[in-house]
Amino acid sequence: MKKNYLDNPGSLKIDLMLRGTRIDDPVVKAWACGASGVDIMLPQNTLVNIPCSEMFTEESPYVIKKSGDGYIITDGTGTVPVSLVPKPKYYSLKTSTGVPFSKIGVFHGSYTVITPSPRCDFFNRGIECRYCAGNFDVRGVENQVYSVEEVLETVAAVLKEGASGIIYLSTGFSPGPDGGIEFLKPYIKAIKKRHNCLVAVETLPPKEDRWIDETYALGADSVLYNLEIFDKELFEFLCPGREKLIGRKRYMDALEHAAKIFPNGTVASHLIVGLEPPGSTCMGIDFLTGIGVVPILPIYRPSTDRALRIGPLTTEIIIPVYKHLYKKVKINKINFKWVRDLSMVTTPLEVRALVDVNEGAKNSIIENFYKSKIGLKTAWGLSTLRRKLRVKDSRDPSDSSGRE
Amino acid sequence: MSVEIDTRPIWIILALKSLRPLFFLLLAVLFWYFINMPSPAGLTPAGQNAIAVFLLCLVLWVSNAVPLAITSIFAIVLVPLLGILTKKETYALFGNEAVFFILGAFILAGAVMHSGLSNRIALNIIGKFGGSPRRLLLSVFLLAAVLSFFMSEHAVAAMLFPMLLELSKSLKLRPGRSNYGKFLFLALAWGCVIGGVATFLGGARVPLAMGILKETTGATIGFLEYTVAVLPLVVILLAVGFALLMILYPIDVAGVENAGEVVEKRLKGLGKMSFGEYSVGIILLLTIIGWISMGRTLGLAAVALSSVVVLFVLGIVRWKDIEEYVNWGIILMYGGAIILGSALDKSGAAAWIINGVIGRWSGSPWTVFAIVSLLTIFLTEAMSHAAVIAVLLPVVIGISGKMSVDPSIMTYSVATPAGLAFILPMSTPANALAVSSNYITVRDMAKGGLIMVIVSWVLFNLMAAFYWPLIGIGRLR
Ligand code: SF4
């Protein structure tokens, strides 16, 4: 029997991300033009980026339609009211050097992702991850690096508009022991100096733990080392560069160390759903939550030339994985409020209503507070205070000023 | 940047942070009480204040509650403020020879490091003696000690300091964290201190003591006689010191032999010795010769500073290159400590302590010997070695006359322990330089130093009791 997911925004989000939607409205079509997905707000403020390329959505039961003044999504058996998420205003603006802000900062809901350099050295060595979406797929690009000033202008525009409260800086693989943090250092420092906002950093795991300490000391409020695949053999096959030059064990060790350094709930790692059996993803969830790391489960979105998705992959199969995630995060007492309102992934918070209907609305006052402007400022203030208390500069013990 | 993250629960960190103001408040109350309580008999109010300031600084230095230099500056402010010394006297004391010796040592070390010579020497040392991490440490320890037999221990410390800094860099040791780094710099300090008491040549204090002895009694102690009397203590202390360091700081580097290939590669990479290295090397060599031949007459500082002037006159280094190597914090710390030592001396506080302690415990010659040596060892941590001898020895020689004990034996009880300063960095330039490396903290130095001081005192007294009679130095009992 065909399942109906329209009643629950969490499961509907998963189903939509897996199957995509067709578009039966010229305005939405124009809206989604050129993009691989369209940002839609489902009930209960659940943000989703739904794949809408024709190739992907041929067999999808879902259609977005105009209904009165608003929009609905229907699967033929029922409907849910949805709204289009307007593109941030800053998307239409440019930096003083003439670069469109939309090229530098990509809006993903609570996060705006900035990748100052599109370069990932795995490509130059022919050992790139086989599923790589291509954000970094620019071979040999040497000069396309956004300057600190350009990034700062983008961040200022994002924050002024209130588009996102968290700036997510990421970088691809670069040779060197630091995992890429040295490259991101001037960006993090400048953002932290100029703006009172939270910064999440995604790099590759550095060779030594001291770089992780430094990442925290620099001002990163959250860190991500994305393992992506938990299964050992599949990791070796799908991520040849990561396996060869970093190693799965180093990912695990680095995440474990980071979880001891960063506050609870601010260390995360992606496990891509759809590239390995769900059982293996669940083992990954067990491992990560066991060491205090929040697993983030994006669903693999295949492109034409990379049909790596395992089959069959249905929402019925995936939902238990997300439920498992929610339970494990709760059991291990990991704060999952940091990872929320993301259009590209279903967060533990969104799965909560699937597991426990009563819990669904319980924390909403606190959650809403942290979504608000004043809440974000509070989170930033607490994070900064915590860093001030915990970071000790061990350069000059004789010059200590009484730090315990 | 080298950072450390405190991973203790936030509430513990917060609680500890709030202890800080409480600590200062308690210290202020105790200090206030101490300077306002009625002066004990025989102690002048200035002397009482000097002791109070000294104790306050001691707590601040050891606890590291404020930077070392700031504690010293605080002492410089308090000494005239509390009427211990006049303003003029206080600030003039900062111009002490030892302060300028340390300044000269930093500049010379900076020149040696900047030229790349220290790097070359350090790599060669690792190559020659670095068969194992322990062998390398032992080599440094013995080198510092044996060189201090023949020249001023301060000069030896100044000479080896840049090589050790370079060595630590080559071995990628983390300042403040690496056990090996701590071991290395304590080996330098302790090697110099222990070696420095072996002969008349280790420093000015033994000749000064001999001078006082001769002036007051006409008796003398010969170079060989002194060395024969003290050498066993030096040998045992070297063994104990090395063993203690092995226990306190277990070696945490996998093996310096791995560095062998790296050393070879890097030495090759350095190429031939440059003109700058030759020039600095020659000046360093001349400085060492100057320290040995003219150190006594001209003073170590004058020799060091003359070399510094030559370096600049010949354009071998520029101030810009050297500036970063001068650790002004340590210089300030040392200057303040000298002022404090003089305050204890000139206010009569030191004499009060000496008379009080010796008077109370002087039951027999043996107890006087033991007490005097203990007192010397602790006073030398706070005062310059020469000042301790100048204050203590005349009193001790006077007592020995009353007790019909050979004054030359009692002279040993001051002259030798006056060099055994292990606890505080402000007690001797070798310790100050070691702490300025940032590999060890005051607490690290005090921890091992306290044990060494106790061991030294016990061994020194055992030696006086059982070994000296065998070589014909009179019995105490
Ligand atoms: S690390 Fe892998 S996924 Fe990331 S950019 Fe490089 S190739 Fe792509």
Side-chain angles (χ1 to χ4, degrees):
Chain A
M1 202 186 89
K2 198 166 152 284
K3 283 243 175 193
N4 185 323
Y5 295 107
L6 294 177
D7 296 342
N8 187 303
S11 54
L12 178 60
K13 177 170 176 174
I14 294 171
D15 207 35
L16 282 167
M17 288 172 80
L18 203 60
R19 300 160 99 175
T21 183
R22 285 168 288 131
I23 301 172
D24 183 16
D25 179 78
V27 177
V28 186
K29 261 194 183 145
W31 193 280
C33 175
S36 65
V38 59
D39 282 342
I40 298 286
M41 192 62 85
L42 302 177
Q44 290 180 18
N45 281 335
T46 305
L47 180 67
V48 59
N49 182 278
I50 313 173
C52 57
S53 70
E54 272 169 21
M55 178 276 298
F56 194 89
T57 58
E58 263 166 12
E59 286 167 26
S60 172
Y62 296 108
V63 185
I64 298 183
K65 286 183 172 167
K66 181 100 180 138
S67 169
D69 285 343
Y71 290 90
I72 52 157
I73 284 185
T74 175
D75 65 350
T77 63
T79 60
V80 282
V82 296
S83 54
L84 300 183
V85 177
K87 289 215 168 70
K89 287 193 201 78
Y90 76 82
Y91 266 33
S92 58
L93 306 173
K94 288 180 177 176
T95 64
S96 55
T97 49
V99 184
F101 284 141
S102 57
K103 283 190 99 180
I104 303 177
V106 183
F107 174 73
H108 280 282
S110 60
Y111 289 73
T112 288
V113 177
I114 295 177
T115 308
S117 163
R119 196 178 156 178
C120 176
D121 217 54
F122 286 151
F123 281 96
N124 295 335
R125 299 166 190 231
I127 45 173
E128 70 271 20
C129 308
R130 291 180 200 269
Y131 51 80
C132 184
N135 271 358
F136 294 82
D137 190 358
V138 190
R139 284 164 209 247
V141 170
E142 296 284 350
N143 302 321
Q144 202 180 328
V145 176
Y146 300 120
S147 69
V148 173
E149 263 319 306
E150 286 169 330
V151 167
L152 278 177
E153 284 180 39
T154 311
V155 173
V158 171
L159 296 177
K160 190 172 168 208
E161 186 183 337
S164 315
I166 301 170
I167 302 298
Y168 184 110
L169 290 169
S170 72
T171 181
F173 175 76
S174 57
D178 58 286
I181 195 66
E182 273 293 297
F183 169 70
L184 289 182
K185 190 174 178 174
Y187 298 94
I188 302 171
K189 282 178 106 173
I191 294 172
K192 279 288 172 174
K193 196 171 169 201
R194 248 355 131 83
H195 302 288
N196 297 344
C197 67
L198 297 164
V199 171
V201 170
E202 181 202 324
T203 65
L204 286 108
K207 287 219 162 70
E208 291 162 24
D209 288 344
R210 71 190 171 94
W211 295 105
I212 301 171
D213 299 358
E214 183 153 351
T215 305
Y216 180 66
L218 276 174
D221 301 287
S222 167
V223 73
L224 290 94
Y225 302 126
N226 292 332
L227 186 57
E228 317 278 26
I229 315 288
F230 188 71
D231 182 83
K232 198 168 172 295
E233 274 82 36
L234 280 170
F235 180 81
E236 284 166 15
F237 171 70
L238 291 169
C239 314
R242 293 168 192 258
E243 168 59 22
K244 193 172 166 204
L245 299 177
I246 299 165
R248 182 173 172 267
K249 170 98 176 38
R250 181 58 198 146
Y251 268 91
M252 295 170 162
D253 292 347
L255 283 164
E256 192 168 1
H257 181 76
K260 288 181 192 140
I261 298 299
F262 282 73
N264 182 4
T266 62
V267 180
S269 183
H270 285 183
L271 289 175
I272 305 174
V273 174
L275 285 179
E276 61 183 325
S280 166
T281 306
C282 285
M283 281 161 71
I285 292 170
D286 293 347
F287 171 77
L288 291 175
T289 51
I291 57 170
V293 173
V294 187
I296 297 180
L297 309 185
I299 296 172
Y300 177 57
R301 198 176 280 192
S303 59
T304 39
D305 57 335
R306 291 191 177 91
L308 296 166
R309 186 192 263 189
I310 54 149
L313 193 70
T314 63
T315 305
E316 280 126 302
I317 292 172
I318 297 178
I319 283 186
V321 176
Y322 280 94
K323 284 185 176 174
H324 184 71
L325 164 71
Y326 178 74
K327 282 182 199 153
K328 282 291 173 177
V329 163
K330 284 282 278 186
I331 289 169
N332 288 291
K333 296 193 175 72
I334 299 172
N335 178 358
F336 49 82
K337 312 285 186 308
W338 248 87
V339 183
R340 59 175 165 73
D341 302 334
L342 299 176
S343 56
M344 302 294 274
V345 286
T346 306
T347 64
L349 216 56
E350 288 162 345
V351 187
R352 186 169 57 190
L354 280 177
V355 180
D356 188 343
V357 184
N358 297 334
E359 279 259 354
K362 220 174 172 183
N363 291 331
S364 56
I365 297 175
I366 298 177
E367 279 154 23
N368 286 337
F369 172 71
Y370 278 111
K371 280 182 192 176
S372 68
K373 258 195 165 171
I374 180 155
L376 278 168
K377 285 268 179 285
T378 310
W380 168 83
L382 288 174
S383 185
T384 308
L385 175 69
R386 198 184 285 117
R387 181 173 298 104
K388 223 165 174 56
L389 290 170
R390 303 183 97 178
V391 176
K392 297 195 271 183
D393 189 344
S394 55
R395 250 177 319 183
D396 187 358
S398 73
D399 191 29
S400 146
S401 52
R403 291 164 292 226
E404 288 78 13
Chain B
M1 181 152 94
S2 170
V3 292
E4 207 181 306
I5 313 291
D6 193 338
T7 51
R8 289 173 297 183
I10 276 293
W11 65 267
I12 292 185
I13 302 175
L14 269 172
L16 288 171
K17 292 268 171 197
S18 55
L19 282 182
R20 190 172 154 79
L22 280 179
F23 167 77
F24 282 114
L25 189 72
L26 184 72
L27 213 58
V29 170
L30 282 176
F31 181 69
W32 185 87
Y33 172 76
F34 212 94
I35 55 174
N36 283 297
M37 70 181 204
S39 304
L43 182 63
T44 60
Q48 182 177 348
N49 290 349
I51 293 174
V53 176
F54 172 69
L55 290 176
L56 174 75
C57 290
L58 194 65
V59 173
L60 291 176
W61 274 326
V62 176
S63 65
N64 223 358
V66 288
L68 299 178
I70 301 303
T71 301
S72 283
I73 289 179
F74 194 35
I76 298 171
V77 173
L78 285 177
V79 165
L81 205 69
L82 294 174
I84 305 166
L85 297 175
T86 65
K87 262 188 287 178
K88 209 171 165 192
E89 267 179 303
T90 306
Y91 292 109
L93 281 165
F94 198 83
N96 187 283
E97 190 188 345
V99 174
F100 280 89
F101 170 74
I102 292 180
L103 174 65
F106 279 138
I107 299 179
L108 280 174
V112 176
M113 289 175 82
H114 184 75
S115 70
L117 181 64
S118 57
N119 189 12
R120 189 183 294 278
I121 297 175
L123 287 172
N124 274 304
I125 293 176
I126 303 178
K128 282 232 162 52
F129 303 102
S132 74
R134 191 206 293 223
R135 207 177 126 199
L136 182 64
L137 290 170
L138 191 62
S139 310
V140 169
F141 190 51
L142 291 182
L143 188 68
V146 173
L147 284 175
S148 301
F149 288 5
F150 306 106
M151 59 191 279
S152 155
E153 60 173 88
H154 307 346
V156 175
M159 190 176 81
L160 295 181
F161 177 66
M163 326 297 170
L164 293 197
L165 272 184
E166 214 58 71
L167 214 125
S168 320
K169 254 200 257 165
S170 311
L171 297 174
K172 297 200 173 65
L173 308 178
R174 289 184 68 189
R177 301 287 289 274
S178 156
N179 269 356
Y180 201 75
K182 289 181 197 289
F183 199 144
L184 206 56
F185 283 93
L186 279 174
L188 169 74
W190 291 8
C192 289
V193 166
I194 298 171
V197 298
T199 68
F200 279 15
L201 305 174
R205 62 190 171 271
V206 184
L208 175 71
M210 297 312 146
I212 294 175
L213 175 69
K214 192 168 180 197
E215 233 168 73
T216 44
T217 66
T220 52
I221 299 172
F223 184 100
L224 204 63
E225 190 187 348
Y226 174 83
T227 301
V228 169
V230 172
L231 201 59
L233 172 74
V234 169
V235 173
I236 298 171
L237 277 182
L238 284 173
V240 172
F242 195 77
L244 182 63
L245 285 175
M246 290 289 289
I247 295 167
L248 287 178
Y249 302 109
I251 293 172
D252 58 354
V253 291
V256 286
E257 63 282 326
N258 293 348
E261 286 165 38
V262 184
V263 166
E264 226 169 274
K265 253 194 216 158
R266 286 181 58 182
L267 271 174
K268 269 193 196 137
L270 286 180
K272 282 188 296 178
M273 257 178 86
S274 67
F275 175 75
E277 284 176 80
Y278 272 118
S279 321
V280 172
I282 289 169
I283 290 178
L284 185 67
L285 201 69
L286 290 175
T287 313
I288 295 168
I289 294 170
W291 277 334
I292 295 170
S293 59
M294 294 178 283
R296 201 63 57 73
T297 46
L298 273 182
L300 293 173
V303 174
L305 293 173
S306 307
S307 303
V308 166
V309 172
V310 172
L311 279 172
F312 283 89
V313 167
L314 297 182
I316 298 168
V317 287
R318 290 169 306 171
W319 183 248
K320 212 168 67 183
D321 308 327
I322 296 302
E323 225 172 357
E324 62 174 298
Y325 297 102
V326 180
N327 190 333
W328 295 104
I330 292 293
I331 292 173
L332 280 172
M333 173 207 79
Y334 211 87
I338 292 225
I339 292 171
L340 212 48
S342 293
L344 283 175
D345 177 10
K346 293 190 178 164
S347 65
W352 178 77
I353 295 171
I354 291 162
N355 290 326
V357 174
I358 296 177
R360 176 168 304 178
W361 298 99
S362 58
S364 69
W366 167 242
T367 49
V368 173
F369 187 89
I371 294 299
V372 166
S373 52
L374 187 67
L375 203 57
T376 310
I377 268 185
F378 280 105
L379 279 177
T380 204
E381 295 290 344
M383 298 165 70
S384 85
H385 300 341
V388 174
I389 287 173
V391 178
L392 201 52
L393 196 55
V395 182
V396 171
I397 290 175
I399 292 176
S400 64
K402 275 189 226 150
M403 292 187 148
S404 314
V405 179
D406 183 354
S408 41
I409 299 175
M410 295 307 287
T411 302
Y412 280 106
S413 73
V414 179
T416 310
L420 296 172
F422 293 100
I423 302 177
L424 295 175
M426 42 297 278
S427 59
T428 178
N431 289 358
L433 286 174
V435 167
S436 81
S437 70
N438 290 337
Y439 282 89
I440 44 178
T441 60
V442 180
R443 230 174 289 178
D444 292 329
M445 180 161 270
K447 188 170 77 176
L450 193 65
I451 303 173
M452 277 307 281
V453 156
I454 295 167
V455 170
S456 308
W457 178 70
V458 171
L459 284 175
F460 180 68
N461 281 276
L462 286 177
M463 200 182 61
F466 299 107
Y467 168 64
W468 287 356
L470 298 179
I471 57 166
I473 299 180
R475 281 182 175 277
L476 282 163
R477 282 170 288 184

